[in-house]
Every structure is written in structure tokens, then in C-alpha cells.
Amino acid sequence: MDVQTLTFLIVGATFLLYIAIAIWARAGSTNDFYVAGGGVHPVANGMATAADWMSAASFISMAGLISFMGYDGTVYLLGWTGGYVLLALCLAPYLRKFGKFTVPDFIGDRYYSQAARTVAVICAIFVCFTYVAGQMRGVGVVFSRFLEVDIVTGVVIGMGVVFFYAVLGGMKGITYTQVAQYCVLIFAYMVPAIFISIMMTGHVLPQAGFGGMLSDGTYLLDKLDGLSVELGFAEYTAGTKSTIDVFFITAALMVGTAGLPHVIVRFFTVPKVRDARKSAGWALLFIALLYTTAPAIATFARVNMIDTINGADGRGTAHAEAPSWISNWEETGLIQWEDKNGDGKMFYSGDERNEMTVDRDIMVLANPEIANLPAWVIALVAAGGVAAALSTSAGLLLVISTSISHDLLKRNLMPRITEKQELLYARSAAAVAVCIAGYLGVNPPGFVAQVVAFAFGLAASSFFPAIIMGIFSKRMNKEGAIAGMLTGILFTAAYIVYFKFIDPAANTAEHWWFGISPEGIGTLGMVINFVVAIAVAKVTREAPGDVQEMVESIRFPQGAGQASAH
Amino acid sequence: MSFASGPQAASYWKENLRLLFSLLCVWFVVSFGCGILLVDELNQIRMGGFKLGFWFAQQGAIYVFLLLIVVYVYKMNQLDKKYGVYEEDDSGSAPMENATAADDAQLNRGQ
């Protein structure tokens, strides 16, 4: 069977599985729709969190980005795992004890204010849309390569599937499909990694193969450092970003992780406070499996790619003899070759000799082909990429629809709607959100991982400080929290918009404030949020007594009721 | 379903914060310390095929993160038991089938 047919079969089979689960786990109540009835086992919740978390950016783009960035790719690896420590220690148990449906719920009640709730809703919707656009793009890339349809059709198909199970199943449907999607995506990620690790270094574990020795007796990383320098790139293990930029980007991603509404809401679905703590641990374990493999894949892929394009002698491979993966990806426009010196040979380097344009997003998808793995592995990777994109999109769309139906309508504008009406609004909001996300997926503002990176800056500068102060400071009042959230997110958004859209030409280190790139500015936004909130709270009245008592009560686990709308 | 006394609640919270603080220090040292700020110094040391700083940045810190959460869960369960606020298995959990019962559940506000 050829790759095309196999891919259709495997991707089709996983779709059937997701749809079957969605029908089995359809939501009957708003409680089901928002927090899966609050009865999800911590291990299952950990898996669902991991799938929710690991987006198309993690699965498709991250290893590719690292493979082009070398040490600089650390920002993604540390940033997207370290946040779970913050989440487990500082947020998840307390928010679970609080026991409502959404993050704006917490902000609204803790800061006893509809205005605070509304600000939180707007921040949540803004963050989620930024993030979901990247996912749809990822679905499009997978479809265009493996099912040979164009990116627009790919996005439409992806939207259709997400639409089906997010609208039907709500959080309950999403949670159990995500468990299945985690299994698909981690299997699809590990199989090629293990194959390639054994082929290149003889180690079964990619994490060990990463530091392993090649057949010619040099260490993999040393060889790559050598190759990189020879071809005019920076040394792979050294990178090019300044230390301050790496520091700020990593911090923005970590704090952003802990502030992302679709991640936080997952900890509302477990029965107990100690389950919320444990669940964060499981989630990180499942995530770490992929995140410790990704940098290994990045190095394997880079060495393989350079060897294939430049040939064993390092002088270039004739284009006519190029392996089939090059021509396959050339058809999608994601690999381009321009024969500058007219010798008919391809050559890849970091200086003027370079003749290749290789899109970073394809590295994981092309990896099995580059390493000549069997056709079913290639098909599996396609299914994994789709699973990663779908699971994250669904989680995000749920937050968007919940924000609108629950936080905006039920708790704010139309408090008298019945549960049935609320559920209908939730479903309609999810439907509209899917369409907008699809539009953004077709017209994306950048690389998948970069788009996603901005969502973190925005989450870091808005939610994280408000939630942390809501738990750890009894005095923090609504004036402080609202002022903090607004200045934080506006500052961050303005900085990003300025450098990315208004004046992209100025997007270089010498124009950045303190050398911090737009990707890392969320950290500064967060600091500003904290400072403004504390300053404003100092000059205004402290939080009322009953709110302070509520803060007291979320600080210890006993007596956590079911997540509740009342 | 609460602490025996106010001072007890305060000392539970204090112990909790102390644990949090020490774990977050380790978190900061392995990621921002070893992986970013001190990476060049640590890269002078080799561990097999890895430079140590690079290893911390792309592998080691993640393993430590995992360990930190494990320690946190274990210590917090101990702390909960010590102060009598540990959640027993039969309280607070409801199977999926009874999900709608949640609508009757009250939030323990101000208890």
C-alpha cells in the first residue's frame, strides 16, 4: 500500500474513534459541558491536559524550530514544561478548591466585580483566538502534505471534525477524546524518534541517543556543532539569542502556561484538591515524554537533512537524484530550491552559498521520510499531527464558548436564561468560534509556533498575576486587579503589535526595550501588572471581609465541593 | 470541615508557603540558573556526549520539574493529614453518572 492510502486509512480511523467517543460522551448538562461533571480520574485528566496542552505547535513545529535554533530552542522546552511547576504549586489546588467553571468566574467572584469578570472574559477570548489560529494552520499543513489537498481545504476539514465533537460533547466529550488523542500523538511521536535514534546512535531511547555517538565515532552534538560552523551557522549548542532575551522568553512562556485558561480549566474537572495537585504531576509526566524527545529529534533531523542535501562529501547532491521527500515537499511549496550557481546540485548553508529554503514546520513531518522509515510510520505521524492540533483546538474553543455563554451571558448579561438555553448558547458560540478560528488559520500572522508564543505573553501579562494575587494576597482588591490586568495586557499587546504589524522593519534587537523581543515581553507585562495592581490596591479600600474569608477557605483542601454554577 | 483554630490555619499556611518557596527556588536554579544564566560556565563541563549546561537546558531541568511536583504532592498530603484537612476518599467525589447532582452542591464559601 502506498503512503497516500495508508494515511487516509490511519487518519480516517482516528477520526472515527474520536467521533465514536464524542457520541458516547455527549454532554447532558452545563456541568458536563463545562467541566465534564467534575469526575475525571487524575491520570485521565493528566493525559487530557497533556493533549490539550501539546498543540500543533508542540507536535509539528517545535522540534523543527529547535532544529533551526539549536540552544535557543531551549526557550520552548523550558518554557512549556516549567509552567506546570507553577501551575501545580501555585494555582491548580486553590482554583479547584474554589470550585467554579471558568477563570473569569474566579476573577469575577474573587474581585467581587462584573467589570473584573468582563475584563477577564475579553482577555480569555483574545488569548484563545490567538492560540487557536495556530492550531488550524497546523491542521492545514498536515492535510496539504499527506492528503494532498490545499491548505484551505485542510483547514475546513479540521474545522468540521472539531466542530462535531466540541459542540456535541463539550468538556466531557473533549476530555475523553483527548485521552485517545494523547495516545495517538505520543505513539506517533515516539515511534519515528526511536527508529531514528537506533539507526543513528544505537540507543533505543532518543533521550540517550541525543548524547550518543555516531557510527564514525564522533558524538552527535559535536558533529552538529562542527557542521553548523562549517556551513556558516552559529554553533548548535550555543545559539544566537542574548541571555536576557532567552531569560524573558522562557519566563513569559512558563508564566503564560500557568495563566492559559484552557489549561487551568482542566483542573476544575477532577474530584478533589489533592487530585488537582496529582493531576498536574501526571500532565507534566506525559508532556515531558514528548518534550525530552523533541530536542533529540531536532538534532537527528538536522544532521540527516544536511547530509541528504549537501551529500556525504559536503558538496551538494544533484537535484535530479534528490530523494522523493524533497520533491514531495517541493509540491507543497514548503521546500524550495534555487540553483544559484547553476551546477544542478542542491546546497544548504547559512551564508551566500545557500540554495535551499526549508520551512521549519515540516521537520517532524518529513523526518520519517528523511530517515527512510516505512510508509505506515509516515501515515502515523500525519495522524499524530492532526490529533495534536484537534485536541488543542477543541480545548480552546470550549473556553471561548464557555466564556461567552457562561461568563458573559449567564453571569453578566442574561442571568435568567435556563440551563438548556445556556447550553444552546454554549454550542452556538463554539460553532461561531470554529469559523473565526478557521479564517485565522487560512490567513495566519506568522509561523505556527510563533503565533502561539504570543498567546503566552498575553496570558502571562493578564491572568497569572490576577490569579496569584487573588490566592496569596487577601487584601488585593478589585481596583488593583482590574488596573493590573488592563495595563499588563495592553502594554504587551501594544509592544507585540508595534513590532509585528506596525513597524516590522524595526523588529531587531537594537530597537527592542532592554533587548527583549516581542516573544518575551509578556514577562515585563506581568511585572507591570503586579506593580500597578499593588500600587492601586495600596491607595484604595482593601477587599471586603467576606471575600477575605473566601480566600482563607480556598487555602486548604478539605470541603471542596463539586464544581458548581451556584 | 475546617481547622480547629485560627492559629492552626495560619501555621498550616505558613508551612505551605515555606514548602512552596523552597521548591520554587530549586525550580529557578535548575531552569533559569543552570539552563540560561550559567549555561556558558556549565558548558565547560562535559557529560558523555553532552555539554552540561546544554543538557540542563534541554533535558535535565525538565526531569527536575517532574521531581518537584512529586515531592510537592507527597509533602502536601502529609501536611494536610498533620492539620486534619486531608480529603478522605469518600468525600467530595462523585461518579460521572451523578454529574447533575453537582447542581445541588454548594460552594464552601467562607467556612
Side-chain angles (χ1 to χ4, degrees):
Chain A
M1 239 187 290
D2 65 341
V3 180
Q4 182 84 34
T5 326
L6 266 172
T7 308
F8 269 116
L9 282 179
I10 293 187
V11 173
T14 58
F15 277 11
L16 280 183
L17 176 68
Y18 306 151
I19 289 172
I21 294 174
I23 293 173
W24 167 73
R26 24 178 220 289
S29 65
T30 50
N31 199 328
D32 279 352
F33 196 89
Y34 295 148
V35 292
V40 181
H41 190 272
V43 179
N45 191 50
M47 266 192 207
T49 311
D52 204 335
W53 172 240
M54 292 190 290
S55 53
S58 297
F59 188 94
I60 300 172
S61 303
M62 192 177 63
L65 273 173
I66 298 170
S67 128
F68 283 81
M69 294 166 76
Y71 167 77
D72 291 344
T74 299
V75 298
Y76 299 117
L77 295 167
L78 288 183
W80 287 342
T81 52
Y84 276 85
V85 179
L86 291 177
L87 201 56
L89 271 55
C90 304
L91 300 177
Y94 308 110
L95 291 176
R96 175 63 196 86
K97 173 68 191 287
F98 172 72
K100 291 285 184 76
F101 287 149
T102 65
V103 174
D105 248 349
F106 175 78
I107 305 265
D109 285 10
R110 167 61 183 83
Y111 295 116
Y112 48 97
S113 149
Q114 288 296 359
R117 189 191 306 277
T118 312
V119 172
V121 171
I122 294 167
C123 293
I125 293 175
F126 193 50
V127 167
C128 289
F129 268 122
T130 320
Y131 204 137
V132 86
Q135 308 312 312
M136 286 297 165
R137 187 68 183 173
V139 174
V141 171
V142 173
F143 274 96
S144 67
R145 165 61 189 91
F146 293 97
L147 304 174
E148 295 189 358
V149 294
D150 66 11
I151 285 194
V152 179
T153 319
V155 169
V156 172
I157 297 174
M159 276 164 55
V161 177
V162 173
F163 183 85
F164 185 80
Y165 69 75
V167 173
L168 186 70
M171 185 58 124
K172 197 172 159 195
I174 287 173
T175 301
Y176 293 100
T177 17
Q178 279 172 340
V179 172
Q181 281 161 337
Y182 177 78
C183 299
V184 172
L185 84 87
I186 200 68
F187 188 65
Y189 206 79
M190 296 306 291
V191 167
I194 290 170
F195 263 115
I196 296 171
S197 180
I198 295 174
M199 279 165 48
M200 289 180 71
T201 66
H203 289 283
V204 176
L205 283 179
Q207 286 85 345
F210 190 21
M213 216 178 263
L214 297 166
S215 51
D216 60 5
T218 50
Y219 282 116
L220 177 70
L221 285 165
D222 291 343
K223 169 159 180 179
L224 188 51
D225 275 346
L227 271 178
S228 302
V229 173
E230 204 176 292
L231 294 173
F233 297 103
E235 201 175 60
Y236 188 80
T237 54
T240 56
K241 283 192 200 300
S242 68
T243 302
I244 184 168
D245 202 22
V246 171
F247 188 99
F248 270 76
I249 297 178
T250 307
L253 295 180
M254 278 190 187
V255 175
T257 302
L260 278 179
H262 74 290
V263 175
I264 294 177
V265 74
R266 292 237 52 100
F267 296 96
F268 290 86
T269 63
V270 292
K272 284 190 286 286
V273 173
R274 64 185 161 96
D275 292 332
R277 295 179 193 140
K278 220 192 300 174
S279 194
W282 283 110
L284 184 60
L285 174 70
F286 294 129
I287 291 164
L289 208 53
L290 189 144
Y291 273 63
T292 52
T293 307
I297 292 188
T299 21
F300 298 150
R302 185 134 183 101
V303 171
N304 264 329
M305 188 189 81
I306 294 176
D307 276 353
T308 313
I309 294 178
N310 292 1
D313 59 354
R315 272 193 242 136
T317 304
H319 187 253
E321 293 156 23
S324 62
W325 64 268
I326 295 210
S327 46
N328 284 341
W329 286 97
E330 271 180 327
E331 279 167 30
T332 61
L334 297 173
I335 290 184
Q336 280 157 6
W337 172 61
E338 188 197 348
D339 196 4
K340 285 184 192 153
N341 56 5
D343 65 354
K345 286 180 179 177
M346 302 179 293
F347 193 77
Y348 178 70
S349 75
D351 48 33
E352 70 288 343
R353 292 173 294 168
N354 181 44
E355 300 176 340
M356 307 297 294
T357 317
V358 182
D359 189 302
R360 300 151 207 238
D361 284 353
I362 66 171
M363 293 309 288
V364 165
L365 302 175
N367 213 8
E369 296 167 273
I370 297 177
N372 266 323
L373 295 180
W376 64 269
V377 179
I378 300 169
L380 193 62
V381 170
V386 175
L390 294 184
S391 58
T392 307
S393 313
L396 290 162
L397 291 168
L398 187 83
V399 172
I400 296 173
S401 76
T402 313
S403 298
I404 292 171
S405 66
H406 184 70
D407 299 319
L408 207 60
L409 298 180
K410 173 85 180 174
R411 299 297 304 270
N412 213 339
L413 302 176
M414 306 156 73
R416 252 166 290 172
I417 50 173
T418 63
E419 185 177 324
K420 230 179 168 165
Q421 283 171 309
E422 191 185 338
L423 201 53
L424 182 70
Y425 281 120
R427 290 190 160 131
S428 328
V432 175
V434 174
C435 297
I436 300 177
Y439 173 80
L440 291 173
V442 176
N443 304 290
F447 285 124
V448 173
Q450 284 184 350
V451 176
V452 170
F454 293 129
F456 289 86
L458 300 177
S461 62
S462 56
F463 289 126
F464 183 78
I467 300 174
I468 285 288
M469 288 182 293
I471 296 164
F472 291 91
S473 158
K474 277 194 275 186
R475 286 192 72 248
M476 181 47 65
N477 58 14
K478 66 175 175 189
E479 291 84 358
I482 296 172
M485 276 197 288
L486 283 178
T487 42
I489 201 165
L490 287 177
F491 167 79
T492 307
Y495 193 87
I496 293 173
V497 167
Y498 178 77
F499 282 114
K500 285 285 160 179
F501 302 105
I502 297 176
D503 194 2
N507 193 12
T508 51
E510 60 265 30
H511 294 105
W512 297 337
W513 291 5
F514 314 112
I516 304 166
S517 61
E519 286 83 358
I521 200 66
T523 308
L524 198 57
M526 172 192 78
V527 174
I528 293 177
N529 183 334
F530 271 118
V531 171
V532 168
I534 292 168
V536 171
K538 270 249 180 309
V539 296
T540 43
R541 234 183 10 194
E542 70 178 63
D546 65 321
V547 171
Q548 298 209 12
E549 269 170 36
M550 180 192 94
V551 176
E552 196 73 55
S553 82
I554 62 172
R555 289 182 172 182
F556 64 92
Q558 208 173 58
Q562 279 261 322
S564 164
H566 296 280
Chain B
M1 295 226 292
S2 186
F3 292 100
S5 67
Q8 271 235 303
S11 92
Y12 171 85
W13 187 240
K14 219 168 131 193
E15 282 199 46
N16 180 1
L17 289 182
R18 196 179 308 139
L19 175 65
L20 263 184
F21 185 73
S22 38
L23 292 177
L24 287 178
C25 282
V26 178
W27 169 80
F28 186 85
V29 167
V30 293
S31 53
F32 291 99
C34 301
I36 297 175
L37 298 173
L38 301 172
V39 70
D40 293 330
E41 287 74 10
L42 287 174
N43 273 347
Q44 307 302 321
I45 307 167
R46 288 198 67 107
M47 197 179 67
F50 289 109
K51 293 174 182 165
L52 191 60
F54 182 80
W55 181 79
F56 259 109
Q58 303 213 334
Q59 296 275 303
I62 302 176
Y63 301 133
V64 179
F65 292 158
L66 206 51
L67 209 66
L68 286 175
I69 299 188
V70 172
V71 172
Y72 174 73
V73 170
Y74 176 75
K75 288 270 189 189
M76 281 310 282
N77 282 343
Q78 273 189 330
L79 194 65
D80 289 348
K81 280 182 187 150
K82 182 174 156 195
Y83 284 90
V85 288
Y86 186 77
E87 300 161 288
E88 298 306 327
D89 280 323
D90 53 344
S91 74
S93 67
M96 293 292 293
E97 290 77 27
N98 296 340
T100 47
D103 296 326
D104 306 322
Q106 288 300 312
L107 180 69
N108 289 289
R109 236 184 140 174
Q111 280 184 2

